[in-house]
Amino acid sequence: MIVLNVTYKCKPEKRKEFLEMIMTEGIDTASRAEAGNIMYNYYIPTDGGDDLFLLEKWRDVAALAEHGKQPHLARLKEIKAEYVNETVIEKYIAE
């Protein structure tokens, strides 16, 4: 299993709008529906700030690679340009 911890460092006071756009565009739902997806959930950190956390779990490297080719992921990249200053990705291999 591949686990990704993704931290979106949103532009000041843009986190709520960013998350709303993700949901309105159906990016979360489309990602969860992909073959090989185990988990795809967004979380708001309790310490405030403008970060948004995404926990992704994928069956294997092939499933994650296929995810990277999806049109909804391309749309997410477009949306990020407006709402996110930086994206930090931590990748783990779990058994």
Side-chain angles (χ1 to χ4, degrees), residues 53-70:
F53 181 76
L54 168 62
L55 175 59
E56 299 182 50
K57 294 182 181 180
W58 297 92
R59 179 186 62 230
D60 53 30
V61 173
L64 180 57
E66 190 61 30
H67 172 62
K69 300 174 186 175
Q70 300 305 307

Side-chain angles (χ1 to χ4, degrees), residues 66-85:
E66 190 61 30
H67 172 62
K69 300 174 186 175
Q70 300 305 307
H72 52 271
L73 193 62
R75 179 64 182 134
L76 176 61
K77 289 177 184 176
E78 294 171 359
I79 293 168
K80 280 175 38 178
E82 184 174 345
Y83 295 101
V84 176
N85 284 328

Side-chain angles (χ1 to χ4, degrees), residues 6-91:
V6 182
T7 302
Y8 296 107
K9 298 190 175 287
C10 298
K11 295 178 181 178
E13 305 204 14
K14 292 291 187 177
R15 179 183 61 205
K16 182 179 177 185
E17 290 176 57
F18 178 51
L19 185 56
E20 287 172 355
M21 284 295 295
I22 290 167
M23 293 178 168
T24 298
E25 296 277 339
I27 293 165
D28 56 332
T29 304
S31 294
R32 286 186 199 105
E34 288 181 51
N37 179 263
I38 298 167
M39 176 185 276
Y40 193 92
N41 291 326
Y42 288 91
Y43 300 91
I44 297 173
T46 59
D47 64 355
D50 293 305
D51 290 355
L52 180 65
F53 181 76
L54 168 62
L55 175 59
E56 299 182 50
K57 294 182 181 180
W58 297 92
R59 179 186 62 230
D60 53 30
V61 173
L64 180 57
E66 190 61 30
H67 172 62
K69 300 174 186 175
Q70 300 305 307
H72 52 271
L73 193 62
R75 179 64 182 134
L76 176 61
K77 289 177 184 176
E78 294 171 359
I79 293 168
K80 280 175 38 178
E82 184 174 345
Y83 295 101
V84 176
N85 284 328
E86 180 184 2
T87 303
V88 178
I89 301 173
E90 300 170 295
K91 181 178 177 182

